Amino acid sequence: MILILAPDTRTDSAEFRQLEESLGRMPNVRHRIHQETGEQQLLTEVYLIGDTASLPMEDISNLPAVERVVRISEEYRVLGRHKDNDRATHFEYNGVRFGQDNLNLFAGLCAVNTPEHVEIMMRALQEHGQVCTRMGAYKPRTNPYSFQGHGKDCLPYVFELAGKYGIKVIAMEITHEMHVREIREALALTGNPTGVMLQIGTRNTQNFELLKYVGRQREFPVLLKRGFGITLEESLNAAEYLASEGNRNVVFGLRGMKTNMGEPHRNFVDFAHVPVVKRLTRMPVCIDPSHSVGTRDRAPDGLLDVMHVTAQGVIAGANMILVDFHPEPEKALVDGPQALTLDELPWFLDDIRIAREAYEKRQELASQFQ
Ligand code: PEP
Ligand code: MN
């Protein structure tokens, strides 16, 4: 059960103390407080855990400071929708809105290789009005002898260049809690010129200790990729680990499933699950067409497979696109064969715009039949 308190209820107010006293008298019920400081107001939610099934909704609604009560099912307690459409399905980070109702593009390097390539990429993004990018510093690789990413050494120039080109959020994979500390330190060293969205990759979707660590910090939002070989429910529960520890600024990423049935693509594209994740949870949904498709193959109609699947995700309501680009894919240290080139950026942007407009028209049409 979730108690949504009146906006701006402070934990040192008399009303809040009375509420806590009443909750303290309930047998076998524990509570946990979650506060979110928005631009306009302070939002407080109180999660009741334990024997809540027999608590009468009306009595709980009448407790001091309580504005609304939501009964929750067992699944995805914090991030789930629970038949309640009034709780937020968006968050803001570093001036960028991430919501189930909008779309952000994170085009960039799968792995950082040189400062020159980072700069060329970011300049191109700025020229096209983009404020987000992807930049891999820590690369989990299948083969221990493959390039593992430049790690913390590249962070200062990546962050400085981001500041120079007006990039507000960089999606960056981390595989260990040490990486979060290194990112924080490099941001401080360079004067916090940009923001970072911590990416937890498909190989770590169920790394519960990492999820708990990342969930306990609330400075950085998180992009959690779906596990490539587990059920959707298991991956959504992994997202709930982050939220249950306190960080609910989570974007859920679809990136395809590992099975030979998907061939000739690298993974079996699962973007039909975009609306499903939006129905089950309040998370914005990201699609990764690059790691799903894994090639630059082109269909007879002239479109690259990567563009086809991007459009499929966007027309189904995706909220974020994470996509590999590279100024010189043949020189990329990781995943060059799937990267789009910079002269394809305006084409890709226009193609996305067409798909997004079509999605908005479909939504408008659906509203006439409700
Ligand atoms: C990536 O985005 O660079 C990546 C490795 O993705 P995934 O975890 O989905 O394989
Ligand atoms: Mn990659």
Side-chain angles (χ1 to χ4, degrees):
M1 189 177 271
I2 307 172
L3 316 186
I4 296 160
L5 306 193
D8 296 320
T9 300
R10 295 169 54 99
T11 48
D12 57 3
S13 64
E15 270 194 308
F16 188 83
R17 268 199 299 276
Q18 285 164 16
L19 170 67
E20 282 213 301
E21 275 166 29
S22 309
L23 297 177
R25 284 196 293 272
M26 293 176 186
N28 304 323
V29 174
R30 286 173 295 122
H31 67 275
R32 192 162 173 165
I33 297 155
H34 186 95
Q35 289 196 305
E36 208 69 58
T37 314
E39 280 187 8
Q40 319 270 326
Q41 54 195 13
L42 171 72
L43 291 174
T44 307
E45 291 184 351
V46 181
Y47 287 77
L48 302 191
I49 305 153
D51 234 347
T52 58
S54 56
L55 296 177
M57 289 285 271
E58 204 178 312
D59 293 2
I60 304 288
S61 313
N62 288 332
L63 289 173
V66 174
E67 190 174 84
R68 222 147 42 81
V69 181
V70 182
R71 230 187 234 295
I72 54 175
S73 45
E74 281 304 300
E75 296 271 88
Y76 328 130
R77 290 182 186 197
V78 180
L79 292 172
R81 275 189 176 260
H82 310 302
K83 300 194 176 63
D84 181 289
N85 279 323
D86 292 336
R87 292 169 70 229
T89 54
H90 69 269
F91 62 88
E92 297 258 336
Y93 173 64
N94 211 23
V96 181
R97 180 192 168 92
F98 294 90
Q100 285 196 342
D101 55 358
N102 71 337
L103 177 62
N104 294 299
L105 175 67
F106 282 67
L109 308 182
C110 178
V112 171
N113 50 348
T114 64
E116 292 71 32
H117 282 145
V118 172
E119 177 147 26
I120 295 169
M121 184 72 232
M122 289 185 178
R123 189 187 304 125
L125 289 170
Q126 187 183 47
E127 277 167 15
H128 289 93
Q130 299 301 309
V131 294
C132 300
T133 188
R134 61 160 293 151
M135 289 284 152
Y138 308 97
K139 299 304 299 177
R141 304 303 302 282
T142 306
N143 186 330
Y145 306 111
S146 304
F147 171 66
Q148 304 283 314
H150 287 310
K152 70 173 187 306
D153 294 345
C154 69
L155 299 180
Y157 68 76
V158 169
F159 295 158
E160 271 163 11
L161 287 167
K164 180 171 171 189
Y165 292 103
I167 299 291
K168 295 188 165 151
V169 187
I170 304 176
M172 183 174 277
E173 179 162 359
I174 50 110
T175 62
H176 192 277
E177 56 187 70
M178 185 176 69
H179 301 156
V180 183
R181 289 194 289 272
E182 289 172 359
I183 289 171
R184 190 180 288 120
E185 276 165 27
L187 280 171
L189 186 79
T190 51
N192 293 301
T194 187
V196 171
M197 177 179 279
L198 302 175
Q199 188 179 322
I200 296 185
T202 196
R203 290 156 193 82
N204 276 310
T205 309
Q206 285 188 312
N207 182 341
F208 298 118
E209 296 310 314
L210 182 66
L211 294 173
K212 285 190 227 167
Y213 178 84
V214 171
R216 279 197 291 274
Q217 65 75 39
R218 290 176 60 189
E219 183 180 351
F220 304 110
V222 187
L223 167 63
L224 177 72
K225 295 263 198 107
R226 177 187 193 163
F228 56 53
I230 57 176
T231 64
L232 181 63
E233 187 188 345
E234 286 163 337
S235 291
L236 295 177
N237 268 307
E240 186 70 15
Y241 260 92
L242 296 161
S244 72
E245 293 291 331
N247 191 340
R248 63 180 61 181
N249 291 350
V250 184
V251 177
F252 188 78
L254 297 173
R255 49 81 69 208
M257 304 298 291
K258 207 183 247 315
T259 156
N260 291 345
M261 307 285 247
E263 282 170 7
H265 290 162
R266 183 170 168 181
N267 287 286
F268 197 72
V269 182
D270 55 351
F271 300 168
H273 287 174
V274 168
V276 178
V277 178
K278 290 168 84 172
R279 177 167 72 240
L280 293 174
T281 78
R282 300 181 291 125
M283 289 183 279
V285 182
C286 174
I287 52 167
D288 178 342
S290 305
H291 290 83
S292 303
V293 168
T295 72
R296 288 184 42 83
D297 287 347
R298 189 185 292 264
D301 58 15
L303 284 118
L304 302 185
D305 289 10
V306 170
M307 297 191 183
H308 268 301
V309 302
T310 303
Q312 287 161 15
V314 172
I315 206 168
N319 308 112
M320 173 169 159
I321 304 165
L322 186 75
V323 57
D324 291 0
F325 269 76
H326 201 285
E328 293 177 274
E330 62 291 351
K331 292 198 184 149
L333 295 172
V334 184
D335 286 346
Q338 70 192 21
L340 300 182
T341 58
L342 292 187
D343 36 316
E344 288 165 339
L345 183 60
W347 173 18
F348 189 67
L349 284 166
D350 280 347
D351 203 44
I352 294 169
R353 210 166 291 127
I354 294 169
R356 178 70 191 178
E357 277 167 21
Y359 168 69
E360 284 168 0
K361 282 192 193 143
R362 295 175 66 218
Q363 237 188 335
E364 210 176 282
L365 178 64
S367 72
Q368 294 168 25
F369 290 91
Q370 267 155 22

